[in-house]
Amino acid sequence: MTTTGEGTGQRAAAVPPAAAADLPAATVRRLPEYLRALGTLSESGVDTVSSETLAAATGVNSAMLRKDLSQLGASGMRGVGYSVANLATHIAGVLGLTKDSRVAIIGLGHLGQALARYPGFSERGFDIVGLFDADAGIIGRDLDGLRVRDVALLAGAVRDEGINIGVIATPGAAAQHVADLLVDAGVTSILNFAPCVLAVPQGVAVRKVDLAVELQILSFHEHHKTLSRPETDV
């Protein structure tokens, strides 16, 4: 019998791969936050953590956190909590972080160069192994030991270098062409920073990051926060 939460101290079986694929999208979005908080706790020398403490560190309520972890088959011990190391390993396994991912960045303008130099990727198991652009003025440049290559060489690099994640940082007009190149080469995981929606076949996962949209959402909240402030007498 499998137990969940911080109830009995029995260790739950690892969630089967098929079940992991069926996890709610909202749960999957929260897992990296749990993993980040667990990493911080571990660096601080903390061995066990309660659901309340972990929830507070990630900005979710403890009931939601316990529900998320129960869906992973992760259990804690009554009165003790969760093992920080074991839970981090468990979540990393569900996220597929037990092996390094090989990443290509396509589009080496200001944003692409910043992404290529970001140390957080390698610290979390994402190896930037390929940089590509279509601009002759950028091709051939060296960025922290990696040479920018012609995007025409992308398909061969995917095949020969085991690239399994593509990061698109091109202008919007070029993004669909790059996505097509990645998909045709066999890449099924794409992170898109271009300001457009990509059309991809079923089975290809695309995560879209539009910084301007995020700022517009913040503007909405700021605007309505201002409107809701009570007027004061002068």
Side-chain angles (χ1 to χ4, degrees), residues 46 73 145 149 228 231 233:
V46 177
R149 289 176 276 176
S228 65
E231 293 185 5
D233 294 333

Side-chain angles (χ1 to χ4, degrees), residues 159-209:
R159 179 187 64 247
D160 298 339
E161 299 168 33
I163 293 169
N164 56 3
I165 294 178
V167 177
I168 298 177
T170 65
Q176 184 62 56
H177 174 63
V178 171
D180 292 342
L181 291 176
L182 288 167
V183 171
D184 290 345
V187 174
T188 57
S189 297
I190 297 173
L191 182 61
N192 179 32
F193 283 90
C196 65
V197 176
L198 300 176
V200 297
Q202 186 173 2
V204 176
V206 176
R207 296 290 299 172
K208 188 176 187 304
V209 181

Side-chain angles (χ1 to χ4, degrees), residues 51-95:
S51 57
E52 289 79 10
T53 299
L54 185 55
T58 54
V60 304
N61 65 65
S62 57
M64 179 181 292
L65 180 139
R66 286 193 295 270
K67 181 178 179 181
D68 286 343
L69 297 185
S70 72
Q71 293 182 90
L72 306 185
S75 64
M77 296 182 65
R78 187 189 302 277
V80 177
Y82 299 91
S83 162
V84 170
N86 290 345
L87 185 55
T89 298
H90 192 89
I91 293 175
V94 173
L95 289 172

